C-alpha cells in the first residue's frame, strides 16, 4: 500500500464543540502530522494490548515528538478483559505517573481497548482527552466512532460506561494486514449493517465488493470504511446519547448481545453474534410482513459472503434468549423494543412485536 | 419549623437542556409534590447511609407513589467509604434488581452519598437520572449543586468521577436538626467561601448572622443556603466543566485537599480542611500585597465564629504540603495554580506565586 496523502480520506463527526475528525488511510500510525495536533497537554498514555503492541506500539511512539512525556500500558487481549478492574489499572497507571487533567489517552487496539480507554478518559479527573487508533475493522467502522465507552458487568454487556467523544479517530488501514480473517468477517457484519439500516445503494456496492474486501484490496477497504463512518457519524450527530434514531445502529444487537452473553463474551466474536442477530431480525421482519422471502435470502447471502454465521448457537433455547434479552439497554419500561427492517436499506424501531411471534421465531430459527 | 409553602424557596441552575431546579425549605422529604415530578421511569433506587437512613429513609419512601418500584441501598457512613468499591455496590444492586435506562437514583445523605450516587448514575448504562436530597449543610450549599460526582483514589481525592447534573436538588432544612454541630461548622466554611470569593455584602450579612445560623434559626438558614446556591449556580452556569471561572470555587481547596489527604480522609472534615485552607489563602494573599492585615484578621474572626480551625495540622511539614499539592486537579502542566483573594469578595486564579513565597507561608503558618 502507498502512504501517499492522496489515498487518505477525512470526514467530520459534527457534534458542536465536541466535533472531531476521522482520518482514514494507510501509514497513519507513526506519521506525526496526524496524531500530534490532537494531543492535549504534554502527558500521553498509550493503552494497548499484548496482541497489538508488538505490531504497532513502537511505530506509534516513534511518531510522537520527543518533548512529550509518553507512558504505555499493555493490557491482556480479549473481551473477557473488558472489566472495571482493567479500567482501574489505567487509572492507577495515570495516578502513579502523576498525570494531570491536561493529558491525552491514546487507545491503540480493537473495540475492547477503545471502549476501556475511552471510559478511563471519561472518568479520570472527571474527563480528559483521548484519541482512538483502532486496529480492527470492527473498531474502525463502529466502536471507535460515536463516543460510546464502557465495560461489561457479570450481569450484562456494556452496563457501566459513559458517552465520551474522542478528539480524533485515526484509522490506519495497514493494520488490517495483521488482523485474523475471522475478525475481518466480524467487522464486515457492521459494514453490512449500515447498508441494511440506511443505504440500499451501499448494500448493492457491498454485495459486489465483498470478495475484494476479504482480499484486503485497498481501494475497496477505504471506501467501505469511509462510507460506514459517514453513515455512523450522520446518525451519531443526530442523536449523540441514543434517545432516538441512534438506536437503529443496534440492528441485530438485541439478539446478538443475548448470544454473546450466553456463550461467554469472546467465544463468539461481537460481529459474529451481530451477524446472526441481523439474520434473525431480517427473518422476524419477514414474519411481520415487511421483508419478502427473497430479501431475507439476499441478506443471508450477503452475510454468508462476508464469512459470517447464519444460525444461532445450538445450545441456546427460547428461554435463554428471552431471559438474556430482558436486560438489554434498549428496553424502556420492560416493553421489548427491537430494531427491524421495513425494507433493505431502511430500519425502524418497533415495540409491538407480539410475544408469541417472537417466541416462534426464537424456536424455529436455525441452530448450528 | 413550619412546612408552609411560603417558607420554601426555589431557584434554577441554568444549563440549557441540563437545567434543573433547587428547592429549599422545611418538610420537603416525604412531600410527594416535590420529588415525584423529577423521577424518570418507574424504577427508583434510594441510596443512603447507616447514619441518615434511620432519620429520613422511611419518610422519603412514604412520599413516593405506590405504583413505583422502589429499592434502597444503605451504605456505611464516612469519607473513607467514598471509593469505587462502594459505587460498584450501587451498580450491582441496580443490575440485580433489573433496572433499565429509564430509572432514577435518589441520593439521600451528605456529600459522600451524593458524589457516589451521582457517579453511579453517570455511568450506569452510560447515564441515568438522579435527584439529590442532601442532608448536611455542606452538601446543601456545595456538593449537591453543580454536577461534580466521583470517588477518591488512594493517590488522590475525587480523582475518578464525571460531570453529571441531577434532575433536581431538594434541600429539606429540617435535616440540619440531626446534624452534629461540628458538621454544621464544616458546612459554614463553604457558605463563608461564597462571600469571600464573590459577594462582600453576603460576607457582611454572614458576619452578623453566624450566631443565628449556629442556633439553626430557620430564616437565617434558608437565606444562607439560598444565597450560597445562587452564587454557586451562577458560577456553574458560566463554566459547567471547570475550564475557567468555576475554579474560583476552589478557594482554600488546594491547601485543604492536602490536609485531608495527609490526615486521612474523614479525620478532618472536608469543611474544616477548607476552613484552614482559606485562612492560608488569605494569608498568602496578604503576602502578595492584596489583602491588608486587617482583612486577614477579619477573615479569621469570621471563620472562628463559624467554629472552624484556623491552624494547619501539627504533624504536616512544608514537604508534606508540597508533595500532596502536586496532584491537585487545578494544576495545569505542573504550574501551581492557586485561588487567592484580591480583596474580600473577589477571588482570582493566580499561577505566579513564587515557589519561595509559598514555602515561607507553609513553614510559618500556625499549626495546632
Amino acid at each position: 500500500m502507498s502512504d501517499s496523502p492522496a489515498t487518505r480520506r477525512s470526514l467530520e463527526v459534527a457534534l458542536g464543540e465536541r466535533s472531531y475528525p476521522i482520518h482514514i488511510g494507510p501509514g497513519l500510525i507513526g506519521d506525526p502530522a496526524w496524531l500530534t495536533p490532537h494531543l492535549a497537554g504534554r502527558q500521553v498514555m498509550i493503552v494497548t494490548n499484548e496482541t497489538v503492541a508488538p505490531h504497532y506500539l513502537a511505530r506509534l511512539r516513534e511518531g510522537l515528538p520527543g518533548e512529550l512525556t509518553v507512558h504505555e500500558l499493555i493490557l491482556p487481549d480479549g473481551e473477557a478483559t473488558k472489566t472495571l478492574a482493567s479500567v482501574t489499572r489505567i487509572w492507577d497507571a495515570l495516578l502513579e505517573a502523576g498525570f494531570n487533567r491536561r493529558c491525552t489517552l491514546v487507545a491503540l487496539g480493537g473495540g475492547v481497548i477503545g471502549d476501556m480507554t475511552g471510559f478511563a478518559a471519561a472518568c479520570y479527573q472527571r474527563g480528559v482527552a483521548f484519541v482512538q487508533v483502532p486496529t480492527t475493522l470492527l473498531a474502525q467502522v463502529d466502536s471507535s466512532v460515536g463516543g460510546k465507552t464502557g465495560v461489561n458487568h457479570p450481569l450484562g454487556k456494556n452496563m457501566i460506561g459513559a458517552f465520551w467523544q474522542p478528539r480524533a479517530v485515526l484509522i490506519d488501514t495497514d493494520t488490517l494486514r495483521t488482523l485474523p480473517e475471522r475478525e475481518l468477517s466480524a467487522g464486515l457484519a457492521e459494514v453490512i449493517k449500515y447498508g441494511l439500516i440506511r443505504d440500499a445503494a451501499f448494500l448493492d456496492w457491498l454485495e459486489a465488493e465483498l470478495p475484494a474486501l476479504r482480499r484486503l484490496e485497498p481501494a475497496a477497504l477505504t471506501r467501505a470504511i469511509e462510507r460506514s463512518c459517514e453513515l455512523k457519524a450522520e446518525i451519531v450527530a443526530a442523536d449523540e446519547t441514543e434517545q432516538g434514531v441512534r438506536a437503529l445502529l443496534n440492528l441485530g444487537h438485541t439478539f446478538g448481545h443475548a448470544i454473546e452473553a450466553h456463550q461467554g463474551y469472546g467465544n463468539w466474536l461481537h460481529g459474529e453474534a451481530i451477524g446472526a442477530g441481523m439474520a434473525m431480525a431480517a427473518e422476524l421482519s419477514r414474519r411481520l410482513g415487511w421483508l419478502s422471502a427473497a430479501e431475507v435470502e439476499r441478506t443471508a447471502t450477503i452475510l454468508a459472503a462476508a464469512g459470517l454465521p447464519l444460525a444461532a448457537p445450538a445450545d441456546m433455547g427460547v428461554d435463554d434468549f428471552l431471559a438474556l434479552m430482558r436486560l438489554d439497554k434498549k428496553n424502556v419500561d420492560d416493553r421489548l423494543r427491537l430494531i427491524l427492517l421495513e425494507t433493505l436499506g431502511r430500519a425502524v424501531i418497533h415495540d409491538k412485536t407480539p410475544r408469541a411471534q417472537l417466541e416462534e421465531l426464537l424456536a424455529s430459527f436455525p441452530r448450528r
Side-chain angles (χ1 to χ4, degrees), chain A:
Chain A
M1 296 184 195
S2 155
D3 65 353
S4 145
T7 65
R8 294 181 176 172
R9 312 283 296 178
S10 295
L11 60 136
E12 179 93 357
V13 183
L15 293 169
E17 61 184 19
R18 289 184 300 284
S19 295
Y20 57 89
I22 303 173
H23 299 301
I24 308 163
L28 265 59
I29 292 177
D31 180 344
W34 290 82
L35 177 53
T36 309
H38 306 294
L39 302 177
R42 297 190 314 243
Q43 299 174 310
V44 177
M45 174 80 70
I46 303 169
V47 182
T48 186
N49 69 32
E50 290 167 352
T51 307
V52 173
H55 293 296
Y56 305 110
L57 180 55
R59 199 188 304 171
L60 184 63
R61 286 194 72 135
E62 281 159 17
L64 291 171
E67 69 270 23
L68 299 176
T69 301
V70 181
H71 288 249
E72 59 190 43
L73 180 64
I74 302 175
L75 296 169
D77 192 8
E79 181 83 19
T81 70
K82 190 172 150 180
T83 63
L84 199 57
S86 296
V87 173
T88 298
R89 282 189 60 187
I90 303 176
W91 289 327
D92 291 347
L94 291 166
L95 284 162
E96 282 157 16
F99 272 44
N100 63 30
R101 286 170 78 176
R102 278 176 52 75
C103 66
T104 306
L105 275 61
V106 177
L108 173 68
V112 171
I113 286 292
D115 285 5
M116 292 197 299
T117 306
F119 184 48
C123 298
Y124 183 64
Q125 301 207 21
R126 299 200 187 93
V128 299
F130 91 112
V131 174
Q132 293 267 22
V133 185
T135 60
T136 68
L137 182 58
L138 181 64
Q140 290 170 352
V141 300
D142 180 28
S143 55
S144 71
V145 180
K148 281 193 183 180
T149 72
V151 296
N152 300 327
H153 184 280
L155 294 177
K157 193 172 158 66
N158 293 320
M159 284 290 141
I160 310 303
F163 287 97
W164 194 247
Q165 302 296 341
R167 291 290 185 94
V169 181
L170 307 180
I171 300 176
D172 185 336
T173 51
D174 286 347
T175 59
L176 300 179
R177 300 163 81 168
T178 53
L179 189 72
E181 189 172 357
R182 190 177 157 200
E183 292 203 38
L184 189 78
S185 291
L188 289 171
E190 300 282 357
V191 175
I192 292 165
K193 182 189 77 179
Y194 295 112
L196 286 173
I197 64 173
R198 202 173 168 92
D199 189 341
F202 184 47
L203 193 68
D204 294 344
W205 180 86
L206 276 173
E207 197 165 23
E209 296 293 327
L210 272 170
L213 290 167
R214 294 185 75 184
R215 288 192 305 269
L216 299 179
E217 290 187 9
L221 275 183
T222 297
R223 171 71 187 140
I225 294 169
E226 181 188 17
R227 186 63 189 141
S228 296
C229 290
E230 277 172 1
L231 288 164
K232 178 149 190 187
E234 282 173 20
I235 292 175
V236 168
D239 178 19
E240 186 177 0
T241 58
E242 199 172 13
Q243 304 303 304
V245 65
R246 186 163 175 169
L248 298 180
L249 292 171
N250 289 320
L251 176 71
H253 280 55
T254 299
F255 299 116
H257 283 170
I259 292 172
E260 281 188 282
H262 185 268
Q263 298 291 300
Y265 297 131
N267 292 320
W268 273 53
L269 296 179
H270 176 71
E272 292 172 336
I274 283 358
M278 290 193 293
M280 296 174 81
E283 172 59 17
L284 185 56
S285 303
R286 184 192 67 74
R287 290 168 185 235
L288 291 166
W290 297 336
L291 292 192
S292 67
E295 287 172 315
V296 175
E297 184 61 29
R298 187 180 164 216
T299 303
T301 303
I302 293 171
L303 292 168
L308 290 163
L310 296 176
D315 59 348
M316 257 189 102
V318 173
D319 289 346
D320 295 322
F321 268 105
L322 291 175
L324 289 162
M325 287 162 75
R326 245 200 69 228
L327 257 186
D328 191 277
K329 289 191 299 301
K330 293 183 298 304
N331 297 348
V332 174
D333 289 344
D334 298 324
R335 284 183 308 182
L336 185 66
R337 299 173 75 219
L338 291 168
I339 313 304
L340 297 173
L341 294 169
E342 281 191 336
T343 182
L344 298 188
R346 193 163 69 242
V348 288
I349 304 171
H350 185 72
D351 62 5
K352 295 188 173 51
T353 302
R355 179 70 170 243
Q357 204 154 15
L358 176 67
E359 292 189 20
E360 277 170 36
L361 169 84
L362 294 172
S364 65
F365 197 81
R367 300 296 199 277
R368 63 157 196 189

